[in-house]
Amino acid sequence: MSLADARELLPRAAAEGYAVPALNFHSLDMVPALVEVAEAERSPLILQASPGTIAFLGLDAIEAIVGAAARRCRVPVVLHLDHARDYKLVMGALRHGFTSVMADGSSLPFEDNVSLTAKVVEAAHAAGVAVEGELGYVPRAGDPAVGGGAGAPEGYEFTLPEQAEEFVARTGVDSLAVAVGTVHGLYRQAPRLDLERLAAIRARVPIPLVLHGGSGVPAEMLRAAIARGVAKVNFATELKHAWTGALRTALAGDRETDPRRLLAPALKALQEEAARKIRLCGSRGRA
Ligand code: 13P
């Protein structure tokens, strides 16, 4: 299959009550492993690369390996640019076959966020590519304002429903990432999502919603968020930890020097974690 269009996958997921798992990859070996597990689970998949991963791997290598893996498989795979704050990076992704991009102006004042996002929408839509915007700020677990990972306190730059409505109307984004209590990274205690706020956003915003910081969110809370219009859930930290944890054990265990053999348990652990995420999202059997 050629790479899939997020503008088809996300509305369908929202309408049918599941979310498409958006899995960050950090190295090239992870790409075919993640596609393989999506195929085994018959789940649509969003593979996403952060600016850091793009700096590490390069857009050409990402385009080649994701394109090859997607062509070989029978489930829809979207290649998404995660957290682009830089317009030039978006243009690079558009030239390298990405089928979805995120314009992340969430740390900017509202008007600047609108300008950056609208500019990205204009370029991306001209290329037939979907755009995710973000309003409200999803912090990192270690940010001082979230108490070293205890979860974002109520009122910490959470998305305002009426502002979300205005943002979507003025930018023309295809999906909207919202801040309702998740953080990027691991929680010290289980987060409490502001489900009422999510429902209020849903009531005003007709497009699919996106939840960042999926690692560590309890299953019942994730399901409640999906029931309130979340159609894409981002997972990075727990996948990375599964891969590195298994690799660390493999390295400590014996004198193996063949990277392919050392990586085998890391990729198996990654696939097991990815399969759990797919099931949590309810996307198993949807492709
Ligand atoms: P986690 O690392 O908390 O899973 O968040 C991932 C994410 O939101 C990537 O954009």
Side-chain angles (χ1 to χ4, degrees):
M1 264 191 185
S2 54
L3 284 170
D5 188 344
R7 291 176 301 180
E8 285 167 21
L9 294 192
L10 297 191
R12 183 178 157 209
E16 295 181 13
Y18 62 94
V20 182
L23 310 181
N24 286 73
F25 59 93
H26 298 86
S27 55
L28 292 178
D29 56 289
M30 290 184 178
V31 169
L34 292 172
V35 171
E36 192 179 285
V37 74
E39 184 151 36
E41 297 284 319
R42 295 192 20 253
S43 169
L45 173 68
I46 298 173
L47 279 174
Q48 50 188 21
S50 66
T53 296
I54 290 170
F56 177 56
L57 298 173
L59 285 166
D60 324 27
I62 291 173
E63 179 182 21
I65 197 154
V66 175
R71 270 194 299 282
R72 280 200 299 266
C73 83
R74 290 182 300 269
V75 295
V77 176
V78 168
L79 174 57
H80 175 76
L81 169 60
D82 196 20
H83 288 295
R85 297 185 176 91
D86 172 9
Y87 184 72
K88 269 205 293 210
L89 185 58
V90 172
M91 297 310 286
L94 295 181
R95 281 195 300 275
H96 284 85
F98 281 61
T99 52
S100 176
V101 295
M102 175 186 188
D104 182 1
S106 62
S107 56
L108 302 174
F110 181 72
E111 286 300 327
D112 296 349
N113 189 359
V114 169
S115 306
L116 171 74
T117 308
K119 192 169 155 198
V120 168
V121 167
E122 195 183 339
H125 282 183
V129 165
V131 180
E132 172 184 326
E134 178 167 329
L135 187 66
Y137 184 66
V138 178
R140 299 206 156 273
D143 282 357
V146 290
E154 171 67 26
Y156 183 86
E157 305 263 7
F158 280 9
T159 308
L160 302 172
E162 59 281 12
Q163 210 179 40
E165 183 177 12
E166 182 187 341
F167 183 81
V168 168
R170 286 178 62 193
T171 57
V173 283
D174 304 289
S175 62
L176 181 70
V178 291
V180 290
T182 54
V183 302
H184 292 105
L186 288 187
Y187 303 87
R188 289 216 187 118
Q189 59 194 51
R192 273 193 318 278
L193 301 193
D194 187 343
L195 295 172
E196 269 176 41
R197 182 181 299 268
L198 195 54
I201 297 168
R202 162 83 302 170
R204 286 171 175 265
V205 170
I207 57 172
L209 303 178
V210 178
L211 194 67
H212 281 241
S215 293
V217 177
E220 66 281 6
M221 206 153 269
L222 211 54
R223 288 198 194 100
I226 292 168
R228 287 161 182 78
V230 167
K232 170 179 183 269
V233 183
N234 288 10
F235 298 100
T237 304
E238 285 180 316
L239 296 167
K240 203 164 54 175
H241 285 201
W243 187 92
T244 43
L247 182 60
R248 194 171 287 120
T249 307
L251 285 166
D254 59 34
R255 293 172 176 274
E256 180 61 63
T257 56
D258 186 328
R260 294 162 298 188
R261 293 211 187 103
L262 284 167
L263 278 175
L267 293 172
K268 184 163 180 286
L270 175 77
Q271 287 187 319
E272 286 166 1
E273 194 58 42
R276 278 194 283 277
K277 299 315 181 206
I278 286 170
R279 291 166 196 199
L280 271 176
C281 285
S283 63
R284 187 181 195 207
R286 303 288 188 160

PDB file of all heavy atoms in Angstrom, residues 49-70:
ATOM      1  N   ALA A  49       7.633  10.846  13.513  1.00  0.00           N
ATOM      2  CA  ALA A  49       9.023  11.223  13.773  1.00  0.00           C
ATOM      3  C   ALA A  49       9.036  12.630  14.351  1.00  0.00           C
ATOM      4  O   ALA A  49       8.396  13.538  13.812  1.00  0.00           O
ATOM      5  CB  ALA A  49       9.817  11.195  12.473  1.00  0.00           C
ATOM      6  N   SER A  50       9.751  12.786  15.455  1.00  0.00           N
ATOM      7  CA  SER A  50       9.902  14.121  16.064  1.00  0.00           C
ATOM      8  C   SER A  50      11.040  14.850  15.337  1.00  0.00           C
ATOM      9  O   SER A  50      11.834  14.218  14.623  1.00  0.00           O
ATOM     10  CB  SER A  50      10.260  13.952  17.542  1.00  0.00           C
ATOM     11  OG  SER A  50      11.550  13.366  17.624  1.00  0.00           O
ATOM     12  N   PRO A  51      11.162  16.170  15.561  1.00  0.00           N
ATOM     13  CA  PRO A  51      12.304  16.884  14.977  1.00  0.00           C
ATOM     14  C   PRO A  51      13.647  16.262  15.403  1.00  0.00           C
ATOM     15  O   PRO A  51      14.580  16.199  14.613  1.00  0.00           O
ATOM     16  CB  PRO A  51      12.148  18.310  15.523  1.00  0.00           C
ATOM     17  CG  PRO A  51      10.665  18.450  15.732  1.00  0.00           C
ATOM     18  CD  PRO A  51      10.200  17.099  16.207  1.00  0.00           C
ATOM     19  N   GLY A  52      13.729  15.762  16.633  1.00  0.00           N
ATOM     20  CA  GLY A  52      14.970  15.130  17.108  1.00  0.00           C
ATOM     21  C   GLY A  52      15.288  13.867  16.315  1.00  0.00           C
ATOM     22  O   GLY A  52      16.440  13.609  15.952  1.00  0.00           O
ATOM     23  N   THR A  53      14.249  13.077  16.034  1.00  0.00           N
ATOM     24  CA  THR A  53      14.463  11.844  15.259  1.00  0.00           C
ATOM     25  C   THR A  53      14.859  12.195  13.825  1.00  0.00           C
ATOM     26  O   THR A  53      15.711  11.525  13.228  1.00  0.00           O
ATOM     27  CB  THR A  53      13.174  10.990  15.295  1.00  0.00           C
ATOM     28  OG1 THR A  53      12.966  10.601  16.653  1.00  0.00           O
ATOM     29  CG2 THR A  53      13.288   9.754  14.424  1.00  0.00           C
ATOM     30  N   ILE A  54      14.272  13.257  13.287  1.00  0.00           N
ATOM     31  CA  ILE A  54      14.622  13.666  11.920  1.00  0.00           C
ATOM     32  C   ILE A  54      16.069  14.150  11.877  1.00  0.00           C
ATOM     33  O   ILE A  54      16.817  13.833  10.956  1.00  0.00           O
ATOM     34  CB  ILE A  54      13.630  14.738  11.419  1.00  0.00           C
ATOM     35  CG1 ILE A  54      12.270  14.072  11.183  1.00  0.00           C
ATOM     36  CG2 ILE A  54      14.143  15.415  10.141  1.00  0.00           C
ATOM     37  CD1 ILE A  54      11.134  15.021  10.921  1.00  0.00           C
ATOM     38  N   ALA A  55      16.493  14.873  12.927  1.00  0.00           N
ATOM     39  CA  ALA A  55      17.887  15.327  12.966  1.00  0.00           C
ATOM     40  C   ALA A  55      18.826  14.126  13.041  1.00  0.00           C
ATOM     41  O   ALA A  55      19.918  14.127  12.470  1.00  0.00           O
ATOM     42  CB  ALA A  55      18.102  16.247  14.168  1.00  0.00           C
ATOM     43  N   PHE A  56      18.406  13.080  13.728  1.00  0.00           N
ATOM     44  CA  PHE A  56      19.241  11.884  13.914  1.00  0.00           C
ATOM     45  C   PHE A  56      19.294  11.022  12.653  1.00  0.00           C
ATOM     46  O   PHE A  56      20.368  10.560  12.250  1.00  0.00           O
ATOM     47  CB  PHE A  56      18.662  11.091  15.097  1.00  0.00           C
ATOM     48  CG  PHE A  56      19.354   9.786  15.396  1.00  0.00           C
ATOM     49  CD1 PHE A  56      20.719   9.738  15.640  1.00  0.00           C
ATOM     50  CD2 PHE A  56      18.627   8.600  15.452  1.00  0.00           C
ATOM     51  CE1 PHE A  56      21.349   8.527  15.918  1.00  0.00           C
ATOM     52  CE2 PHE A  56      19.246   7.392  15.742  1.00  0.00           C
ATOM     53  CZ  PHE A  56      20.610   7.358  15.962  1.00  0.00           C
ATOM     54  N   LEU A  57      18.127  10.808  12.008  1.00  0.00           N
ATOM     55  CA  LEU A  57      18.055   9.844  10.904  1.00  0.00           C
ATOM     56  C   LEU A  57      18.102  10.483   9.520  1.00  0.00           C
ATOM     57  O   LEU A  57      18.539   9.848   8.561  1.00  0.00           O
ATOM     58  CB  LEU A  57      16.765   9.019  11.002  1.00  0.00           C
ATOM     59  CG  LEU A  57      16.592   8.161  12.253  1.00  0.00           C
ATOM     60  CD1 LEU A  57      15.196   7.540  12.266  1.00  0.00           C
ATOM     61  CD2 LEU A  57      17.656   7.069  12.303  1.00  0.00           C
ATOM     62  N   GLY A  58      17.592  11.686   9.401  1.00  0.00           N
ATOM     63  CA  GLY A  58      17.510  12.338   8.086  1.00  0.00           C
ATOM     64  C   GLY A  58      16.189  12.028   7.398  1.00  0.00           C
ATOM     65  O   GLY A  58      15.658  10.922   7.511  1.00  0.00           O
ATOM     66  N   LEU A  59      15.670  13.035   6.687  1.00  0.00           N
ATOM     67  CA  LEU A  59      14.375  12.865   6.014  1.00  0.00           C
ATOM     68  C   LEU A  59      14.440  11.819   4.904  1.00  0.00           C
ATOM     69  O   LEU A  59      13.489  11.063   4.696  1.00  0.00           O
ATOM     70  CB  LEU A  59      13.913  14.213   5.444  1.00  0.00           C
ATOM     71  CG  LEU A  59      13.371  15.216   6.471  1.00  0.00           C
ATOM     72  CD1 LEU A  59      13.267  16.615   5.866  1.00  0.00           C
ATOM     73  CD2 LEU A  59      12.015  14.775   7.024  1.00  0.00           C
ATOM     74  N   ASP A  60      15.557  11.743   4.178  1.00  0.00           N
ATOM     75  CA  ASP A  60      15.630  10.776   3.052  1.00  0.00           C
ATOM     76  C   ASP A  60      15.539   9.352   3.567  1.00  0.00           C
ATOM     77  O   ASP A  60      14.828   8.517   2.995  1.00  0.00           O
ATOM     78  CB  ASP A  60      16.946  10.837   2.278  1.00  0.00           C
ATOM     79  CG  ASP A  60      17.550  12.179   2.126  1.00  0.00           C
ATOM     80  OD1 ASP A  60      17.309  13.042   2.977  1.00  0.00           O
ATOM     81  OD2 ASP A  60      18.271  12.358   1.144  1.00  0.00           O
ATOM     82  N   ALA A  61      16.283   9.059   4.643  1.00  0.00           N
ATOM     83  CA  ALA A  61      16.285   7.686   5.170  1.00  0.00           C
ATOM     84  C   ALA A  61      14.901   7.337   5.707  1.00  0.00           C
ATOM     85  O   ALA A  61      14.403   6.223   5.507  1.00  0.00           O
ATOM     86  CB  ALA A  61      17.332   7.547   6.271  1.00  0.00           C
ATOM     87  N   ILE A  62      14.247   8.289   6.368  1.00  0.00           N
ATOM     88  CA  ILE A  62      12.909   8.037   6.906  1.00  0.00           C
ATOM     89  C   ILE A  62      11.927   7.780   5.768  1.00  0.00           C
ATOM     90  O   ILE A  62      11.149   6.822   5.784  1.00  0.00           O
ATOM     91  CB  ILE A  62      12.452   9.225   7.784  1.00  0.00           C
ATOM     92  CG1 ILE A  62      13.294   9.272   9.061  1.00  0.00           C
ATOM     93  CG2 ILE A  62      10.956   9.133   8.106  1.00  0.00           C
ATOM     94  CD1 ILE A  62      13.054  10.501   9.928  1.00  0.00           C
ATOM     95  N   GLU A  63      12.006   8.627   4.745  1.00  0.00           N
ATOM     96  CA  GLU A  63      11.110   8.459   3.593  1.00  0.00           C
ATOM     97  C   GLU A  63      11.292   7.073   2.963  1.00  0.00           C
ATOM     98  O   GLU A  63      10.314   6.375   2.670  1.00  0.00           O
ATOM     99  CB  GLU A  63      11.421   9.545   2.549  1.00  0.00           C
ATOM    100  CG  GLU A  63      10.568   9.438   1.302  1.00  0.00           C
ATOM    101  CD  GLU A  63      10.926  10.504   0.260  1.00  0.00           C
ATOM    102  OE1 GLU A  63      12.047  11.059   0.293  1.00  0.00           O
ATOM    103  OE2 GLU A  63      10.068  10.775  -0.588  1.00  0.00           O
ATOM    104  N   ALA A  64      12.547   6.667   2.805  1.00  0.00           N
ATOM    105  CA  ALA A  64      12.821   5.396   2.132  1.00  0.00           C
ATOM    106  C   ALA A  64      12.321   4.215   2.962  1.00  0.00           C
ATOM    107  O   ALA A  64      11.622   3.335   2.450  1.00  0.00           O
ATOM    108  CB  ALA A  64      14.320   5.264   1.870  1.00  0.00           C
ATOM    109  N   ILE A  65      12.624   4.207   4.251  1.00  0.00           N
ATOM    110  CA  ILE A  65      12.296   2.999   5.028  1.00  0.00           C
ATOM    111  C   ILE A  65      10.808   2.925   5.339  1.00  0.00           C
ATOM    112  O   ILE A  65      10.204   1.847   5.294  1.00  0.00           O
ATOM    113  CB  ILE A  65      13.179   2.874   6.296  1.00  0.00           C
ATOM    114  CG1 ILE A  65      13.094   1.428   6.800  1.00  0.00           C
ATOM    115  CG2 ILE A  65      12.784   3.833   7.385  1.00  0.00           C
ATOM    116  CD1 ILE A  65      14.279   0.979   7.578  1.00  0.00           C
ATOM    117  N   VAL A  66      10.193   4.066   5.630  1.00  0.00           N
ATOM    118  CA  VAL A  66       8.746   4.032   5.910  1.00  0.00           C
ATOM    119  C   VAL A  66       7.981   3.704   4.622  1.00  0.00           C
ATOM    120  O   VAL A  66       7.048   2.901   4.633  1.00  0.00           O
ATOM    121  CB  VAL A  66       8.256   5.355   6.539  1.00  0.00           C
ATOM    122  CG1 VAL A  66       6.744   5.359   6.704  1.00  0.00           C
ATOM    123  CG2 VAL A  66       8.922   5.576   7.896  1.00  0.00           C
ATOM    124  N   GLY A  67       8.414   4.286   3.512  1.00  0.00           N
ATOM    125  CA  GLY A  67       7.767   4.002   2.221  1.00  0.00           C
ATOM    126  C   GLY A  67       7.856   2.522   1.894  1.00  0.00           C
ATOM    127  O   GLY A  67       6.862   1.900   1.494  1.00  0.00           O
ATOM    128  N   ALA A  68       9.034   1.931   2.079  1.00  0.00           N
ATOM    129  CA  ALA A  68       9.217   0.508   1.752  1.00  0.00           C
ATOM    130  C   ALA A  68       8.367  -0.366   2.671  1.00  0.00           C
ATOM    131  O   ALA A  68       7.698  -1.298   2.218  1.00  0.00           O
ATOM    132  CB  ALA A  68      10.693   0.135   1.878  1.00  0.00           C
ATOM    133  N   ALA A  69       8.361  -0.049   3.957  1.00  0.00           N
ATOM    134  CA  ALA A  69       7.581  -0.864   4.912  1.00  0.00           C
ATOM    135  C   ALA A  69       6.088  -0.748   4.610  1.00  0.00           C
ATOM    136  O   ALA A  69       5.352  -1.740   4.655  1.00  0.00           O
ATOM    137  CB  ALA A  69       7.881  -0.421   6.341  1.00  0.00           C
ATOM    138  N   ALA A  70       5.629   0.455   4.282  1.00  0.00           N
ATOM    139  CA  ALA A  70       4.195   0.657   4.002  1.00  0.00           C
ATOM    140  C   ALA A  70       3.792  -0.071   2.719  1.00  0.00           C
ATOM    141  O   ALA A  70       2.710  -0.659   2.646  1.00  0.00           O
ATOM    142  CB  ALA A  70       3.890   2.147   3.889  1.00  0.00           C
TER     143      ALA A  70
END
